[in-house]
Amino acid sequence: MSIIDRPTSTGPRHGALGTSPTRPDGVAKVQGTFEFSSDISADGCLFGATLRSPYPHARIVSIDLSAAWKIDGVQAIVTAEDVPGQLTYGLISQDQPVFASDVVRYVGEPVAALAADDPEVARRALDAIEVTYELLPALLDPELAINGQFDPIHPDGNVIRYQRIVHGDTDATGEIVVEGTYEIGMQDQAFLGLEAALAIPDPGGKGIEMHVATQWLHEDRKQIAACLGFKEEDVRLVLGGVGGAFGAREDISLQVHCSLLALRLGRPVRMAYSRAESFLGHVHRHPATIWMRHHANADGSIVKIESRMVFDGGAYASTSSAVLINAITLAQGPYRCANAVVDGWAVRTNHLPCGAMRGFGAVQACFAYESQMDKLAIACGVGPLDIRLLNAMTTGDVLITGQPVLNVAPVEECLRETDALPLPDEPVGGHARTDGSVDAMKLPGGAGRTADARDIVRGIGWGVSIKNLMYSESFDDYATARCRIESGPDGPTVFLKFATAEVGQGFVTLAPQIARSVLGIDRVELDQIDTQVGSAGSTSASRQTWMSGGAVNAACELVRSLIFEHVAAVYGCSAVDLFIDHTDVVDPTTGRRFDVAEACADVSFDETAVYRHPETSEIDENGQGNCHTAFAFVAHRAVVDVDPELGLVKVVQIATAQDVGVALNPLSVMGQIEGGIAQGLGMAVMEEIIQVDGVIRNGNFTDYLLPTFLDMPPVVATLIEQPDPLAPLGAKGVGEPPCISSTPAIVAAIRDALAQAGIDAPLNRVPVRPGDICL
Amino acid sequence: MSNEIFTLHVNGEARPVRDSWLGENLLDVLRDRLGLMGSKGACEQGECGSCSVLVDGHLVCSCLVMAASAVGQQVVTIEGVAPVGTPSDVQQAFVDAGAVQCGFCTPGLIMAVHDLLGRTPDPDDTEIREELAGNICRCTGYGRIIDAVQQVALARRADRSGS
């Protein structure tokens, strides 16, 4: 180790925090060599398939496997009788059977699984299983679950959770009162990489290894182990390449079924869902009905909100109780509100089970409160931006739960910066082509070429939102990371180990950035993502930058302190004074600099850290308590072109300013913003799972419409960078906010366009369908 | 199931296909019979473009093509675009522009973008969007992908004018 002569650096070095290095898995992904969970196989592996209920509610009278067993190539069939451990699983309460044995409660509920030599044989064999059902009346109206007029469809009852919020003066009233009832349809996460896993039993069948695409390896392991009757350490999970998640991989899908088959056979078993099966095999965004009434002073300042929220959780609880709490506790939106009465129900029905999807309850509440804000603006005779600026909350304001917002809360900045972004220069109906004709692709309806440019009306709408980050209600939320340094002939390498599920969001890019910034070492390698290290918690709730980022940061800081001690011992300086500047260790008392790589030439360090956010509390019977960890904010402004006669909509531009704390990787942040807005756009005008009598009618990509290149407009964005002192890296999670208020902004813009055309359409339901506009 | 062999020409090589059943689609044959796992299946009905390959120079959804019907035709998959470790200009632009998140749609999009730029070297925004509208990406919202396409078009234009 030697003293070097280098000036103090300015600006971040490439690859460190604040820059946008490319993804470490990027080249493999563009070349098709990245291994997704659906690409993983093993020698001698068999193919699993799942038999599902065709009925929303029915009693199983008998299951006859004899014909299926006669099919050549069928190796194993398992039903509820073959579950050795706990018979049910679930994220918060374990209320969902591994296989239905007495009653099926939704169309698509697993009844049996089998393994065969070939996937086609497996599918054929499913058809040969004869299940006799006795049909039961289906509970499809959430109000019947609330009012007790329907017999319980599950031993846990038809109400998954009821929670009330009572805050401030419940008799308070204002001169202006606006109200409405809003409906949010069931959205699908529609990740492209279908559910898939490979289960490899240990010799002797005392344990199992599973490669699976999931959001939370350790939670999966806990649930799998319980159902298999194994100790958790006998179940090892490895993250299979994840083709998107968006909440749909937080719950168990095929994990236990695949494991049971592999253990039964003592051979590896693969399972992979089709798209149709995927629509049945994972939870969806809750459909909700929200009544809301705002009381305000004549100037538009909010006095009180009242709301009644009903979330249809479908047949099993999943995360319904937590989704509900997000919705009701964020009912005021990012606005000051001193008084509130909110009643919320999450109920059980015989619909598809619902659970986590990006935005997690905040999405449904936001469509209601933002629709209300526009009504309030009209009633007060002020503009949509002004009503939001007037009521914008800031740091220190108290939520209707009594919880103060301690994070930076730049709601006003989000609004003003969004307003400062340029409106699209695209004329209504698009620029004329060189021959003077209209470019039909720019018109609503696009390739259908049905809209007449003269009929098109342009509208502008606003949406602003608040989102809680991390887990709430006293959950012990933590993340673990390990950092070690090994030196080699080419200098030291940092190895990071964590169980953080990389689902596409880019934690595998961020983690090395953190290590480079903290340690001053450029070469960083990532170990396999698996359960051979402590839990990282879920890749959800916009939490991994904060939580796993916090853990990686803490582990690297532990190693850094050892490096400092080593340097201090060699040079006789004080370890506590040293700091890292780019790739140097600096002793500020003498101005001496040492190259970090050289300092680590002969040493190796290995430290593991656990990061926990401050504890949250439960809420009481009046919904009061500091139940959330942190908050993030965003504003959206949508510009749309509408053909009022045909009910067609083209979103022309989305402008947004988002409260990100610090942009640790600006390019990744932009990717989250654009991707989230695309899902918000889908919720606004395209995406809905349709169920008729409990049967899904559009469980495929032909009938379930997803935004394409032609549907998604340009996004102009400003990042509001106010480092959050409560966040370990100053950065807030950025994944969920983009998809929350983009939806009401687009709907508000449609309403604005229609108002200009003299049409008063309430558009109180998303997705907005053509008929909602023109009929 | 049949043991008859037919031969596909994939990425310039003759590849005998065994154990396929008549009617098996090209995507499944590429993946399950020939071990070419780069093409992805996400919808199985030609809506998402994740399985895009070239058959005799035409961009197709391989999930909609009967494998046996591709006998005698030249099939190019993502594995045939560029050698491993040496990405094409389009592939590198996707990485650099932040056009990749989960990456499941990416191989199909790479095929579609090569096809687009081969036919339309200077696409405008509408052409890019219309040509690629058969490829669904759920992560990115498409903005960075369009950026990548424009960067490649720009670089190729500079190459052309420089030569």
Side-chain angles (χ1 to χ4, degrees), chain A residues 23 29-31 36 38-39 188-189 192 244 275 442 504 671 674-675 679 687 700-702 707-709 712, chain B residues 31 38 40 42 44-45 47 78 83-85 91 100-102 105 126 129 132 136 138-142 144:
Chain A
R23 299 181 64 97
K29 283 180 172 175
V30 296
Q31 295 212 287
F36 289 93
S38 50
D39 301 331
D188 186 54
Q189 297 84 350
L192 285 195
R275 180 56 60 185
K442 298 285 192 186
E674 289 176 320
Q679 294 181 4
E687 296 183 35
N700 61 74
F701 277 3
T702 303
T708 71
F709 276 89
M712 182 64 191
Chain B
R31 287 176 56 84
K40 304 301 174 193
E44 302 138 340
Q45 55 187 185
E47 294 288 347
I78 186 69
V84 172
Q91 289 172 325
V100 180
Q101 288 187 32
C102 91
C105 69
T126 303
R129 290 177 183 275
L132 300 181
I136 288 172
R138 189 56 159 166
C139 295
T140 66
Y142 305 109
R144 300 309 93 205

Side-chain angles (χ1 to χ4, degrees), chain A residues 135-464:
Chain A
L135 299 191
L136 298 169
L139 171 51
L140 300 172
D141 178 356
E143 292 298 335
L144 295 181
I146 293 171
N147 68 22
Q149 290 175 10
F150 206 99
D151 287 341
I153 59 169
H154 188 282
D156 294 352
N158 292 342
V159 174
I160 296 169
R161 186 168 183 179
Y162 166 72
Q163 177 66 48
R164 172 158 240 231
I165 294 177
V166 180
H167 184 75
D169 175 7
T170 55
D171 295 328
T173 186
E175 291 174 52
I176 311 275
V177 178
V178 292
E179 67 177 275
T181 300
Y182 305 94
E183 280 182 56
I184 294 88
M186 181 187 283
Q187 190 178 19
D188 186 54
Q189 297 84 350
F191 49 57
L192 285 195
L194 293 160
E195 290 89 344
L198 172 69
I200 307 168
D202 290 351
K206 300 293 185 198
I208 194 160
E209 178 173 304
M210 169 160 276
H211 298 249
V212 63
T214 177
Q215 291 175 233
W216 191 355
L217 288 163
H218 285 75
E219 174 64 27
D220 279 13
R221 178 173 78 163
K222 186 172 99 186
Q223 294 185 51
I224 296 166
C227 294
L228 298 179
F230 282 169
K231 290 183 287 197
E232 286 187 30
E233 55 264 35
D234 293 330
V235 179
R236 300 179 309 283
L237 261 65
V238 180
L239 189 69
V242 185
F246 317 116
R249 298 191 208 268
E250 203 167 45
D251 288 81
I252 290 284
S253 57
L254 42 60
Q255 287 89 330
V256 179
H257 305 153
C258 193
S259 300
L260 284 170
L261 290 166
L263 286 165
R264 169 62 59 95
L265 292 165
R267 289 173 65 179
V269 173
R270 261 179 89 176
M271 279 185 106
Y273 285 178
S274 68
R275 180 56 60 185
E277 188 170 21
S278 178
F279 271 99
L280 304 173
H282 63 244
V283 297
H284 308 283
R285 185 186 303 292
H286 289 76
T289 302
I290 300 176
W291 169 83
M292 209 174 253
R293 178 189 285 155
H294 279 62
H295 301 252
N297 294 319
D299 67 348
S301 52
I302 297 168
V303 172
K304 183 175 76 173
I305 61 161
E306 299 168 274
S307 185
R308 179 178 186 273
M309 301 191 177
V310 178
F311 280 61
D312 183 348
Y316 295 103
S318 178
T319 47
S320 288
S321 60
V323 169
L324 177 73
I325 291 314
N326 274 12
I328 62 170
T329 59
L330 303 176
Q332 72 200 89
Y335 306 113
R336 287 186 305 278
C337 177
N339 311 297
V341 181
V342 182
D343 288 288
W345 281 268
V347 301
R348 195 185 303 276
T349 67
N350 293 115
H351 283 132
L352 291 168
C354 290
M357 182 174 174
R358 197 174 193 170
F360 202 84
V363 165
Q364 293 90 334
C366 183
F367 178 62
Y369 64 69
E370 283 301 86
S371 298
Q372 283 285 103
M373 291 305 281
D374 287 333
K375 278 189 183 171
L376 189 56
I378 291 166
C380 298
V382 301
L385 177 58
D386 294 327
I387 195 79
R388 290 171 169 84
L389 285 169
L390 176 72
N391 288 289
M393 76 171 46
T394 188
T395 302
D397 282 337
V398 175
L399 301 177
I400 59 173
T401 54
Q403 176 168 10
V405 174
L406 302 177
N407 302 95
V408 296
V411 180
E412 181 180 342
E413 291 88 335
C414 288
L415 282 160
R416 293 197 186 282
E417 291 294 329
T418 301
D419 188 45
L421 288 165
L423 286 162
D425 57 9
E426 183 104 5
V428 176
H431 289 283
R433 294 188 300 200
T434 45
D435 64 0
S437 64
V438 173
D439 181 353
M441 292 308 295
K442 298 285 192 186
L443 296 176
R449 294 180 166 82
T450 48
D452 188 326
R454 290 165 300 187
D455 297 332
I456 307 304
V457 189
R458 175 162 292 180
I460 299 176
W462 285 85
V464 198

Side-chain angles (χ1 to χ4, degrees), chain A residues 646-734:
Chain A
L646 297 175
L648 299 172
V649 174
K650 179 168 181 61
V651 183
V652 177
Q653 184 207 52
I654 302 288
T656 181
Q658 185 167 330
D659 159 38
V660 302
V662 178
L664 301 177
N665 183 318
L667 192 61
S668 290
V669 172
M670 194 61 199
Q672 288 297 309
I673 288 174
E674 289 176 320
I677 287 171
Q679 294 181 4
L681 183 153
M683 180 86 257
V685 292
M686 302 177 78
E687 296 183 35
E688 184 176 11
I689 290 178
I690 309 289
Q691 292 173 95
V692 177
D693 298 332
V695 182
I696 187 169
R697 300 302 300 271
N698 61 340
N700 61 74
F701 277 3
T702 303
D703 300 315
Y704 184 90
L705 300 182
L706 292 163
T708 71
F709 276 89
L710 284 166
D711 301 300
M712 182 64 191
V715 171
V716 286
T718 298
L719 308 183
I720 307 292
E721 294 200 77
Q722 296 184 12
D724 196 301
L726 303 174
L729 299 162
K732 293 184 176 183
V734 299

Side-chain angles (χ1 to χ4, degrees), chain B residues 32-52:
Chain B
D32 299 337
R33 314 291 173 198
L34 299 181
L36 295 168
M37 304 300 275
S39 304
K40 304 301 174 193
C43 77
E44 302 138 340
Q45 55 187 185
E47 294 288 347
C48 75
S50 303
C51 63
S52 298

